[in-house]
Amino acid sequence: MNPVTGTALIYDAEMTNYKLLWVDPACKIEVPERLTVSYEALVKAGLADRCVSVPVREATEAEILLVHSEEYLEAVKKTPYMTLEDLQEFTLQYGDVYFHPNIYHCAKLASGATLQLVDSVMTGKVRNGMALVRPPGHHSMRSAASGFCVFNNVSIAAKYAQQKYGVKRVLIVDWDVHHGQGVQYCFEDDPGVLYFSWHRFEHQKFWPNLRESDFDIVGTANGAGFTINVPLNKVGMENSDYLSVFLHLLLPVAYEFCPELVLVCAGFDTAIGDPEGEMRATPDVFAHLTHLLMNLADGKVCAVLEGGYNLKSLPQSVCETVQTLLGDPLPRPVNLEGPCKSALESLHCVRAAHRKYWSCLNHAGDLPSGELSTKRSKSAEDGDQAEINEEEKKTDDIVWPDPPKRVTPNVQTALVVPDGTVCPEGCQWFCPSEDPDPNLMKQLRENSALDTDDTDVLTTLSSLIALMDQMEKNEIRSGLALVHDVSIVMNWVVQHAATSSCKRMLVVFLGDDMVKSCITQNGNAMLVQISNKNFDAETKNYIPVCLKKGCRDTSGLMQAVLTLLLPLGYEYDPSLVLLIRTSDCGVLESAWQQLTGLLQGLAQGHTLVVMQESEHPSVAPTVASLLGTPAPALGPLSAALSEDVETVEKLRHTLCHDWKLLQTTETQCGGDG
Ligand code: X5A
Ligand code: ZN
């Protein structure tokens, strides 16, 4: 069976045909141009053309009633016939929302567009997609409009997926800067829908000012643990803050939950320049957030526009998201200097509040004593007086660099494999563009570690070096080599990297061989080895991770990958990733594919995989992951072995002095820094 490909784009200009008709400072940012600039940016970047264009439709009444009450629907239904005065009057009963004679029509299209997206993904017409809609949805409730939202597009879609497709586990990731309280209320007792939201909160000083947006609200009845709120208590959150929450909270829980469908409340008011959010994440961070979700649910990711009010960062962020859904190489992550104190405090509190529900968080520290939320809220009341009278903040003149161009190399995946190996679709044999450099061959022949009589070894090595050079020049995205002895090859490659064009190499080694010798203190490589041997970490850039069953226990391995390897990798920001496994390392193929897929977020997808010759059956699945095919789901993960959890936690604790993305609490690295 061929894997599902393609990205749906759902948009209709009709949804720009309503606007605010009176003066209301709270609503003036929600303008039709939000949609036109986003769509035009996609067209201009050539991204719209690469998507499968799916028409919108109106949601039916039955579909709207999956979430909303009949009384509310009947009331909204009357709005097209109201006078301006009546509309204004009608609007008054709700918070921060406006009505217009055409908004009911648009709201039906916005929900219908979301359902079209879910249908396209669930029937396998496309792998993933995005719906550009207005009005947004996540604030609207069973019987109330709120925060520019009329019908709750994503909630309706989740109910629809449950009902029409029997989806048992839906993950809703709400990365909008506001709390989607409508979504939370809709699913608070439903363990079939995991709702995750981060939001500007400022100890309840920020709209919608709800007590139930705090971290200690976790869901009710059977749904306890399936609502995850990350209150952001300061403005100015940056890429590191968001990425930390993904790596140390959302992703471990999401992998444990194992969704069959991922819906994203894709609001871009979390981005820099937004007048509502006042945060500082650059648009390219959405490429990474999107990518990190794309190996869940067999890649079934549906992004649905919510907020986003800066008409420059909004279209940029939309483009980053769609380009990632399309599978283009990720931009190098920028500004990852570690999360701020306030973000760490929130992260710590959420992890503690959820430790009894999720085994991946079971080891998280206790809640700080005292009721943090109310205590903070009091002190905030005293302290923040000065801010209240502050004049209107200007976010319009904040500037930031344009996101880097994401160039796809001509060659996706190049193979260096013995004759007779089957070359899977989408990749090609590597042919060095030039003859091997005689100097290099001389070096190789003189290298005592190599069996220099074996010309096959020499050609393989010189090919690999040529391949790495072409990756560094961005002429080739990734590579895969089958070799006679992975340890020898790795030694040579790392040594060569120290003198070549490779700026920084992250080496990920799965297996028990003794390999640390190739890493020197001052080299330009960092080696993370996952095995069941207790090697000593002698140099700063050699990080041995000793798991009880090596890579055999998938839960332990994923914990190490998500909370140790990826944060390290993101902060190290390699220009090349060397991914190696020995034939006896024991990793499950699906876990290996997850690892390979997740690592594509680093080094613009420049990964060189090296495996043992005997492993040719793994070539096809590995190449698939390098090419962006979603890795198969791992199934709901059971608890990792407690020894393994302890190992990973200890390592995070020791290493977080040097690597700030490993932190999950303010006090982790000692108070002296
Ligand atoms: C969808 C969305 C924001 C409402 C803000 C009201 N709504 N102050 O971003
Ligand atoms: Zn918002």
Side-chain angles (χ1 to χ4, degrees):
M1 203 179 71
N2 273 329
V4 175
T5 60
T7 295
L9 179 62
I10 304 170
Y11 169 75
D12 195 301
E14 173 61 12
M15 287 179 284
T16 65
N17 288 332
Y18 77 91
K19 63 176 188 200
L20 179 62
L21 295 176
W22 52 83
V23 176
D24 180 352
C27 293
K28 66 166 197 271
I29 54 175
E30 205 294 295
V31 295
E33 290 74 29
R34 296 179 54 239
L35 229 46
T36 40
V37 296
S38 300
Y39 184 69
E40 276 161 17
L42 288 172
V43 171
K44 190 155 173 239
L47 296 168
D49 256 353
R50 294 171 53 198
C51 292
V52 178
S53 159
V54 174
V56 302
R57 67 169 172 91
E58 287 188 4
T60 65
E61 291 194 4
E63 287 159 353
I64 294 167
L65 292 172
L66 288 170
V67 165
H68 297 281
S69 67
E70 258 171 73
E71 304 86 90
Y72 177 62
L73 175 57
E74 288 309 314
V76 177
K77 236 187 204 174
K78 297 197 178 103
T79 57
Y81 312 102
M82 288 182 184
T83 63
L84 191 64
E85 267 177 2
D86 288 348
L87 280 171
Q88 238 171 319
E89 163 90 26
F90 181 74
T91 295
L92 279 179
Q93 62 186 308
Y94 307 118
D96 290 14
V97 66
Y98 63 88
F99 278 81
H100 177 283
N102 197 39
I103 202 172
Y104 173 54
H105 182 222
C106 293
K108 283 188 289 184
L109 292 180
S111 292
T114 309
L115 299 181
Q116 289 284 75
L117 175 55
V118 167
D119 278 333
S120 306
V121 166
M122 289 307 300
T123 59
K125 187 176 174 203
V126 293
R127 177 189 291 162
N128 57 30
M130 175 149 205
L132 289 182
V133 301
R134 258 181 98 239
H138 70 155
H139 297 305
S140 65
M141 292 160 275
R142 188 171 152 74
S143 294
S146 167
F148 316 149
C149 303
V150 176
F151 298 140
N152 202 310
N153 309 321
V154 165
S155 293
I156 294 172
K159 292 267 192 197
Y160 179 83
Q162 288 181 321
Q163 209 168 77
K164 182 163 178 189
Y165 297 103
V167 174
K168 284 193 274 313
R169 291 177 307 275
V170 182
L171 169 65
I172 300 179
V173 178
D174 189 337
W175 73 43
D176 186 280
V177 86
H178 300 96
H179 182 212
Q181 84 278 36
V183 185
Q184 175 169 311
Y185 299 152
C186 191
F187 299 106
E188 58 188 356
D189 61 357
D190 185 351
V193 177
L194 172 56
Y195 177 60
F196 167 93
S197 173
W198 57 37
H199 34 268
R200 181 170 171 188
F201 187 59
E202 296 175 294
H203 306 289
Q204 218 176 312
K205 290 280 172 289
F206 189 70
W207 191 91
N209 311 89
L210 300 170
R211 171 67 185 87
E212 55 268 35
S213 307
D214 213 346
F215 65 84
D216 55 340
I217 303 304
V218 297
T220 59
N222 285 334
F226 296 88
T227 293
I228 303 182
N229 282 325
V230 184
L232 302 173
N233 288 315
K234 288 249 152 60
V235 296
M237 294 293 169
E238 299 187 347
N239 296 0
S240 290
D241 301 302
Y242 293 133
L243 210 52
S244 291
V245 175
F246 258 53
L247 295 173
H248 293 296
L249 173 66
L250 174 62
L251 292 170
V253 171
Y255 273 93
E256 189 170 333
F257 179 65
C258 192
E260 295 167 344
L261 175 66
V262 179
L263 303 176
V264 183
C265 287
F268 300 100
D269 37 18
T270 11
I272 191 161
D274 191 277
E276 272 286 310
E278 297 183 58
M279 300 301 181
R280 301 196 53 91
T282 54
D284 49 277
V285 85
F286 296 100
H288 291 280
L289 302 185
T290 304
H291 173 76
L292 289 167
L293 300 175
M294 284 170 62
N295 283 293
L296 293 162
D298 289 313
K300 294 202 270 309
V301 177
C302 299
V304 183
L305 184 67
E306 296 281 356
Y309 307 98
N310 179 298
L311 296 180
K312 188 170 169 221
S313 68
L314 169 65
Q316 289 179 339
S317 304
V318 167
C319 286
E320 294 291 329
T321 303
V322 171
Q323 196 170 2
T324 306
L325 291 173
L326 282 164
D328 281 4
L330 280 277
R332 294 274 285 264
V334 295
N335 302 339
L336 296 180
E337 280 100 45
C340 70
K341 245 175 91 98
S342 174
L344 283 174
E345 185 183 276
S346 298
L347 183 56
H348 176 81
C349 288
V350 190
R351 283 165 44 98
H354 278 274
R355 54 184 287 192
K356 55 173 179 289
Y357 304 108
W358 300 99
S359 64
C360 61
L361 302 176
N362 191 248
H363 57 279
D366 290 315
L367 270 178
S369 53
E371 230 192 282
L372 192 67
S373 54
T374 34
K375 223 173 66 194
R376 296 284 161 162
S377 159
K378 277 227 182 62
S379 68
E381 264 162 45
D382 311 331
D384 296 347
Q385 282 302 337
E387 277 181 47
I388 289 170
N389 288 331
E390 221 175 294
E391 67 185 272
E392 215 176 302
K393 302 229 170 42
K394 285 223 187 74
T395 35
D396 267 359
D397 36 62
I398 294 179
V399 293
W400 61 93
D402 282 346
K405 278 245 154 49
R406 295 164 62 175
V407 182
T408 306
N410 288 330
V411 179
Q412 280 279 347
T413 300
L415 298 185
V416 176
V417 291
D419 293 341
T421 313
V422 182
C423 181
E425 213 182 305
C427 56
Q428 54 191 76
W429 308 109
F430 175 65
C431 337
S433 45
E434 294 146 36
D435 283 340
D437 172 3
N439 256 328
L440 182 68
M441 289 310 271
K442 186 162 166 271
Q443 271 180 7
L444 282 166
R445 265 189 217 98
E446 283 162 4
N447 192 305
S448 55
L450 302 174
D451 176 2
T452 45
D453 292 338
D454 189 341
T455 45
D456 278 1
V457 174
L458 295 187
T459 1
T460 301
L461 288 175
S462 69
S463 288
L464 285 183
I465 282 149
L467 174 54
M468 291 197 309
D469 282 343
Q470 276 185 255
M471 284 206 255
E472 200 74 40
K473 290 187 213 145
N474 208 30
E475 293 164 357
I476 295 179
R477 175 149 162 187
S478 56
L480 184 148
L482 288 181
V483 302
H484 192 65
D485 184 326
V486 289
S487 298
I488 288 182
V489 168
M490 150 163 169
N491 254 289
W492 169 258
V493 165
V494 172
Q495 275 179 42
H496 172 83
T499 58
S500 77
S501 56
C502 175
K503 288 175 213 81
R504 270 190 310 284
M505 188 189 292
L506 172 65
V507 188
V508 180
F509 190 95
L510 309 189
D512 300 336
D513 296 17
M514 177 80 124
V515 287
K516 63 179 164 187
S517 60
C518 70
I519 296 290
T520 57
Q521 189 71 260
N522 45 12
N524 57 348
M526 172 159 81
L527 168 57
V528 178
Q529 176 173 18
I530 306 179
S531 73
N532 65 4
K533 293 253 159 55
N534 225 325
F535 296 113
D536 289 331
E538 279 145 21
T539 61
K540 225 171 124 172
N541 35 5
Y542 171 58
I543 299 169
V545 185
C546 172
L547 302 179
K548 195 140 175 266
K549 298 184 182 169
C551 300
R552 280 179 180 79
D553 178 60
T554 298
S555 300
L557 179 63
M558 286 306 288
Q559 183 111 356
V561 167
L562 295 172
T563 69
L564 190 63
L565 176 61
L566 287 183
L568 277 169
Y570 269 100
E571 192 166 345
Y572 184 65
D573 184 23
S575 56
L576 181 78
V577 175
L578 185 60
L579 175 60
I580 302 163
R581 76 178 203 205
T582 63
S583 46
D584 57 358
C585 75
V587 66
L588 278 183
E589 199 80 286
S590 53
W592 169 255
Q593 287 183 276
Q594 286 286 348
L595 169 63
T596 307
L598 287 165
L599 286 171
Q600 299 313 297
L602 303 174
Q604 300 170 287
H606 293 313
T607 301
L608 174 56
V609 177
V610 180
M611 295 191 294
Q612 213 61 47
E613 244 163 36
S614 57
E615 301 228 62
H616 51 86
S618 289
V619 169
T622 305
V623 165
S625 297
L626 289 172
L627 292 171
T629 305
L634 301 171
L637 291 178
S638 52
L641 303 170
S642 59
E643 295 95 321
D644 289 355
V645 171
E646 213 170 292
T647 304
V648 173
E649 288 305 283
K650 264 207 198 116
L651 275 166
R652 281 207 302 116
H653 191 91
T654 359
L655 294 168
C656 72
H657 289 270
D658 296 316
W659 304 99
K660 299 298 182 199
L661 276 185
L662 292 173
Q663 292 170 273
T664 49
T665 78
E666 300 163 79
T667 50
Q668 200 159 23
C669 303
D672 54 353

